[in-house]
Amino acid sequence: MISLVSHLIWEIIQLPLYTIWSTASPHEIAFAVLHCTAGDLLIALATLMGSLAVIGDREWPNRGRLRIAGLTVFGGLIYTIFSEWLNTGVRGSWAYSDLMPTLPPIGTGLSPLLQWVLIPTLALAAMGRISQDVPDADPSPGD
């Protein structure tokens, strides 16, 4: 839930960094925000599940949180670089406005890169805190 709400807010806030902000109708902008937020959620789930499949164990999230978080963020960044290149450079599905800072030499926008560092990190940190507050669901024999 933290990831979903955070991605939705991020997508809305970063709208002026894309040309859609000045070229599209309110309906098209709303659709783009919802579409991109749904994509963000799928990316977040895929990178987390992939990380857990590769290096996770049954003790997660009580153990190995930093390794999982690191691989999840890395996976999100790699996908973001690929997706931004594909959609801005090859397909032309979207474009950056003059307000979007980009990282040379790859030309990826700074905002989507920051999104995939900050939001998964915050969401996984919150998940770790929550898991520490939940008592063990497996009662000891005799309880």
Side-chain angles (χ1 to χ4, degrees):
M1 188 59 126
I2 292 169
S3 182
L4 174 64
V5 171
S6 299
H7 282 295
L8 175 62
I9 292 168
W10 194 284
E11 291 295 343
I12 292 168
I13 290 171
Q14 75 175 352
L15 277 170
L17 303 176
Y18 291 87
T19 57
I20 191 171
W21 179 249
S22 60
T23 62
S25 71
H27 175 49
E28 291 169 321
I29 291 172
F31 178 81
V33 166
L34 293 176
H35 177 267
C36 292
T37 301
D40 293 336
L41 188 58
L42 291 174
I43 297 163
L45 289 171
T47 55
L48 176 59
M49 294 297 114
S51 298
L52 288 169
V54 172
I55 61 171
D57 62 28
R58 293 181 3 189
E59 295 297 319
W60 185 85
N62 296 321
R63 189 177 73 187
R65 281 191 304 245
L66 289 178
R67 290 181 307 135
I68 295 298
L71 188 56
T72 300
V73 168
F74 179 75
L77 286 171
I78 294 300
Y79 180 81
T80 297
I81 291 168
F82 169 75
S83 177
E84 294 291 315
W85 166 79
L86 180 66
N87 288 292
T88 61
V90 177
R91 292 183 179 160
S93 302
W94 61 76
Y96 300 140
S97 76
D98 292 338
L99 300 174
M100 174 72 83
T102 57
L103 294 179
I106 59 176
T108 302
L110 184 58
S111 181
L113 290 174
L114 287 174
Q115 177 180 5
W116 284 99
V117 170
L118 297 176
I119 293 176
T121 301
L122 294 173
L124 289 168
M127 183 186 301
R129 282 191 200 90
I130 292 167
S131 71
Q132 290 175 346
D133 293 340
V134 176
D136 191 356
D138 186 21
S140 302
D143 284 348

